[in-house]
Amino acid sequence: MTKNCSLAETGELLKAAKKLVIVSHVSPDGDTLGSSLALMHALRMLGKEVIMNVDDDISTVYSFLPGIAEYRRFAPDESVDADLLVIVDASSADRAGNALEVVKSPAVLNIDHHKTNTQFADYLYLDSDAAATAEIIYSLLLEMGIKLTRDIATCIYEGIYTDTGSFKYSNTTSNTLKTAADLLKYGVNPSLISDNMELKSRSQVEMLRKVLETLTFLKDGKIAYIEIPLELYDHNVETDAFISYPRYVEGVEIALLFKQVEENLTRVSFRSKEIDVAKIALSFGGGGHKKAAGCSIYAPLKEAEKVILEAVGELFV
């Protein structure tokens, strides 16, 4: 049974552990990476041994983040001992990749902001009102009495920047903006983050051109989707922003991005204007927010598209 913790209790769990493994979710975005790295820097300041893990490739767009090179990917047959396994910004166990099998720890702590959280961990700190898990990490470190550094502040700011769509999504609150403003006091350079996050590589633009050729509309234009087949997929190319193109087409109510990353594994991203796509993602073992969610389908691209589009299409019958 999961114990729902207060911020203070979460801080005490982290302080009590000597060796920790911090896990970012698969298909890592700026929030899970920024949140996890900020926590890593803070815990190492307290003298903790910290191992960073993500069971996936990390886009080079995040190479500017302090400490990003600390991440490693566990081999399936590996065994890692720890006092505490910390899974950051993941709403379900599958989002942790193979960490739950590899890491031998007496307890699992999950820090998250997704309302679809399945309470899979022993301990959970959940704030579904937070715009980003990075916003939670900021409050957590203050609760723990950690003195923020520029590196910590930069990681937190980047996480918030990412999950709010550079502060333009509806999840942006007055507290979000206040937190971002406070982070500037520690030397965060907003232009450094925006320049890195908005910069497009030539390979990204060339891939986008090919992906947009797959743009398909269904249900009188209420559904739009694009796809990245396996032969086009490149883990070094940041593609998360591609879904913005079908999302902002006039008349589209639900946008989807299908990305085949392995022969029998397709990642699906959902975006909407009002419809709760998190319910759809949750029904396929994923999760997220009302207007932004995702899941993994263990099938080739076309098979994944078939089952997902059938489920989405039922909303417009």
Side-chain angles (χ1 to χ4, degrees):
M1 181 178 293
T2 298
K3 173 178 171 53
N4 288 277
C5 299
S6 67
L7 206 60
E9 290 172 328
T10 304
E12 289 305 314
L13 282 169
L14 293 167
K15 287 181 177 179
K18 294 182 179 179
K19 181 179 180 180
L20 306 93
V21 175
I22 298 178
V23 179
S24 290
H25 64 65
V26 295
S27 192
D29 60 14
D31 189 22
T32 192
L33 296 172
S35 299
S36 299
L37 288 170
L39 187 58
M40 176 199 76
H41 289 300
L43 292 174
R44 286 183 175 176
M45 287 171 58
L46 296 179
K48 310 292 184 182
E49 181 181 352
V50 181
I51 297 173
M52 300 296 291
N53 164 257
V54 62
D55 190 19
D56 209 340
D57 299 311
I58 299 175
S59 170
T60 54
V61 74
Y62 300 110
S63 60
F64 73 97
L65 283 173
I68 194 71
E70 294 293 318
Y71 275 99
R72 50 175 299 210
R73 192 170 186 177
F74 297 142
D77 59 349
E78 196 170 352
S79 180
V80 178
D81 293 321
D83 300 320
L84 185 64
L85 173 60
V86 187
I87 300 174
V88 179
D89 195 42
S91 59
S92 55
D94 66 305
R95 300 286 282 161
N98 65 3
L100 289 166
E101 290 76 42
V102 169
V103 180
K104 312 306 177 186
S105 170
V108 179
L109 168 65
N110 180 207
I111 303 174
D112 189 31
H113 75 129
H114 296 96
K115 69 173 184 177
T116 57
N117 192 284
T118 59
Q119 301 206 2
F120 64 91
D122 301 305
Y123 300 95
L124 170 66
Y125 182 81
L126 176 66
D127 181 1
S128 58
D129 292 326
T133 297
E135 195 173 309
I136 296 173
I137 297 297
Y138 176 73
S139 299
L140 175 62
L141 298 188
L142 294 183
E143 174 70 31
M144 294 173 65
I146 301 292
K147 184 178 179 180
L148 269 64
T149 63
R150 182 169 61 182
D151 283 354
I152 292 174
T154 296
C155 291
I156 294 174
Y157 187 99
E158 188 273 340
I160 296 173
Y161 179 96
T162 299
D163 255 27
T164 60
S166 62
F167 306 102
K168 67 176 181 284
Y169 292 164
S170 60
N171 60 340
T172 304
T173 65
S174 58
N175 186 65
T176 305
L177 295 175
K178 182 181 182 300
T179 299
D182 289 344
L183 291 168
L184 298 186
K185 301 174 185 176
Y186 299 96
V188 172
N189 183 347
S191 64
L192 170 69
I193 292 171
S194 63
D195 286 349
N196 277 279
M197 294 305 298
E198 300 303 327
L199 186 68
K200 306 294 188 294
S201 67
R202 178 173 175 176
S203 57
Q204 186 179 20
V205 174
E206 290 175 343
M207 182 185 288
L208 176 61
R209 175 177 58 82
K210 296 175 182 177
V211 170
L212 288 178
E213 291 177 352
T214 71
L215 179 61
T216 305
F217 296 95
L218 302 172
K219 299 295 181 179
D220 296 322
K222 293 182 176 66
I223 301 171
Y225 69 90
I226 52 177
E227 59 185 40
I228 302 175
L230 185 60
E231 59 268 22
L232 187 57
Y233 173 69
D234 182 344
H235 71 268
N236 288 316
V237 178
E238 171 59 34
T239 58
D240 288 347
F242 287 8
I243 198 170
S244 295
Y245 290 88
R247 179 184 192 178
Y248 290 115
V249 173
E250 185 178 4
V252 172
E253 296 183 27
I254 296 181
L256 304 100
L257 166 62
F258 295 93
K259 178 167 59 177
Q260 186 178 7
V261 299
E262 295 177 13
E263 184 177 352
N264 290 300
L265 177 58
T266 302
R267 311 273 193 211
V268 187
S269 297
F270 304 81
R271 297 292 185 273
S272 76
K273 292 184 172 69
E274 292 298 335
I275 295 172
D276 191 347
V277 291
K279 290 182 179 179
I280 305 172
L282 188 62
S283 70
F284 287 97
H289 306 286
K290 178 181 178 179
K291 300 179 183 180
C295 66
S296 296
I297 303 296
Y298 291 90
L301 180 70
K302 293 304 178 181
E303 290 183 25
E305 288 180 356
K306 184 175 186 296
V307 296
I308 293 292
L309 292 173
E310 283 181 357
V312 174
E314 290 177 359
L315 298 174
F316 299 95
V317 174

